[in-house]
Amino acid sequence: MTRVDAPAKVSAMSNAKLPSGLAAHTLPSRLDFEASPLGGPVARLTHGDFQALVALHGAQVLNWTCGGDGLLWLSPVARIRDGKGIRGGIPVCWPWFADHPTDASKPAHGFVRHRAWSVASTHSTPDGVSITLTTATTDGDRSMWPHSAEVLVTVTLGEMLTVALKTRNTGTDPFPLTEALHTYFRVSDIANVSVIGLEGVAYLDKLEGFARKRQAGPILFAGEVDRIYLGRTSPITIFDNGPNRRIVIESAGSGSAVVWNPWTEKTERLGDMGSPDAFRQMLCVETSNAGDDIVMLGPGETHTLGAVYRIG
Ligand code: TA6
């Protein structure tokens, strides 16, 4: 199992100034902030043998480690850059999943993963430590998305990793919402991996024009896979027979799940995976409201999409 070297603390890496106001949110020995060598501020959460790094950019979990072993995949060429996404970890796809439903010129997976979020609060209990980050749509966003909303992401690190994506409609009109916690899991080799929990579940196969199919048996990987499963999508278990490890994913507020491995051609097309065979060490299993699973949110209403990850 390859260790993921978590970005070192700012004192070791650089004297880059952190945004003002972060110090008020530190929790001694549980949560502190540092300047990541990826190019932006991150929060480091610690709970026993577990650690997580959360970038303020995109409210994106960058890694989750147990005893130093990385459980999430992050591209070795990942960078934090304004207006761009970070390849790996847990990207927040919002307010639409994948391509915009009517305008392909708009960024895939929406726009909140491309910007810095603010720290709303941090909390520590004996069971875990959490950070809540927040952003809101602006008048400048209206050309991309003609609605108003506030978005909160709460990451909680305990014996499990929990991510909650909460949307509040702050406007006067209802809007359709699709979204995902687009989680990149680190695996020993995709050939060693199977996914169970989706047997018999219908899915849309993106590789065949979103043809509607039904899963037969465990999901195995021998080529590109890009599917939106619809219906009973919790719990899902990733079996990695290399280290003989299971990752269990339980979701809430979700009626779909996405399973994706880019394989060789798409890895080359993406250009930011770090190496031509990087696809062998990653697998996306995404907790979502995607495909037919669309959330309609009326004025003042809220919806929370949640995922809980644990070592099985
Ligand atoms: O969730 C699967 C997917 O929609 C794939 O089709 C692929 O495009 C992937 O997301 C990555 O998207 P991104 O915009 O992060 O490059």
Side-chain angles (χ1 to χ4, degrees):
M1 166 62 86
T2 309
R3 285 177 177 272
V4 176
D5 288 329
K9 289 180 177 299
V10 63
S11 53
M13 292 301 296
S14 71
N15 295 320
K17 268 188 69 60
L18 292 169
S20 64
L22 290 183
H25 294 290
T26 58
L27 300 168
S29 79
R30 303 280 274 155
L31 188 151
D32 62 12
F33 295 91
E34 55 196 62
S36 163
L38 272 61
V42 298
R44 180 185 296 272
L45 284 67
T46 302
H47 180 84
D49 284 344
F50 291 94
Q51 278 208 346
L53 282 186
V54 184
L56 273 59
H57 186 83
Q60 189 160 335
V61 179
L62 297 182
N63 72 2
W64 171 41
T65 62
C66 178
D69 284 337
L71 300 166
L72 301 181
W73 181 87
L74 185 69
S75 168
V77 296
R79 290 296 176 268
I80 297 173
R81 293 164 300 168
D82 195 31
K84 300 279 188 188
I86 305 168
R87 180 70 65 197
I90 308 179
V92 173
C93 304
W94 188 98
W96 61 81
F97 175 78
D99 294 336
H100 185 276
T102 59
D103 182 348
S105 71
K106 294 181 178 177
H109 295 319
F111 50 86
V112 295
R113 63 174 174 159
H114 298 150
R115 63 179 50 162
W117 292 40
S118 303
V119 179
S121 62
T122 55
H123 296 285
S124 174
T125 71
D127 296 330
V129 55
S130 68
I131 185 168
T132 296
L133 296 142
T134 183
T135 191
T137 57
T138 64
D139 290 342
D141 295 323
R142 294 192 75 84
S143 61
M144 259 197 298
W145 196 65
H147 308 291
S148 299
E150 173 194 43
V151 202
L152 296 163
V153 165
T154 298
V155 179
T156 303
L157 179 71
E159 295 299 305
M160 297 175 273
L161 177 70
T162 302
V163 183
L165 169 57
K166 182 175 183 178
T167 301
R168 178 187 310 279
N169 183 343
T170 54
T172 56
D173 60 321
F175 56 70
L177 174 64
T178 58
E179 56 187 350
L181 297 171
H182 193 296
T183 307
Y184 288 74
F185 293 95
R186 172 179 288 280
V187 297
S188 60
D189 186 305
I190 193 66
N192 297 333
V193 172
S194 59
V195 172
I196 71 159
L198 296 169
E199 296 81 4
V201 177
Y203 67 87
L204 306 176
D205 187 341
K206 183 172 181 178
L207 304 181
E208 294 188 24
F210 295 101
R212 196 172 288 267
K213 302 180 180 179
R214 193 166 296 277
Q215 181 60 37
I219 306 172
L220 304 174
F221 301 88
E224 184 178 357
V225 170
D226 197 345
R227 304 172 184 171
I228 302 175
Y229 287 85
L230 296 165
R232 178 186 47 78
T233 53
S234 177
I236 296 174
T237 301
I238 302 171
F239 282 88
D240 186 346
N241 294 311
N244 191 25
R245 189 186 65 219
R246 304 175 185 183
I247 297 280
V248 181
I249 305 160
E250 297 191 68
S251 61
S254 167
S256 55
V258 180
V259 177
W260 174 59
N261 184 283
W263 220 255
T264 49
E265 284 78 21
K266 183 129 189 190
T267 294
E268 186 176 353
R269 285 203 306 274
L270 290 172
D272 60 357
M273 295 284 284
S275 67
D277 62 352
F279 69 91
R280 306 207 69 89
Q281 271 71 48
M282 54 71 65
L283 171 64
C284 282
V285 178
E286 307 159 33
T287 300
S288 60
N289 299 119
D292 306 351
D293 175 25
I294 299 171
V295 175
M296 282 306 296
L297 215 50
E301 292 183 339
T302 63
H303 174 77
T304 299
L305 176 69
V308 181
Y309 307 108
R310 62 181 168 83
I311 301 173

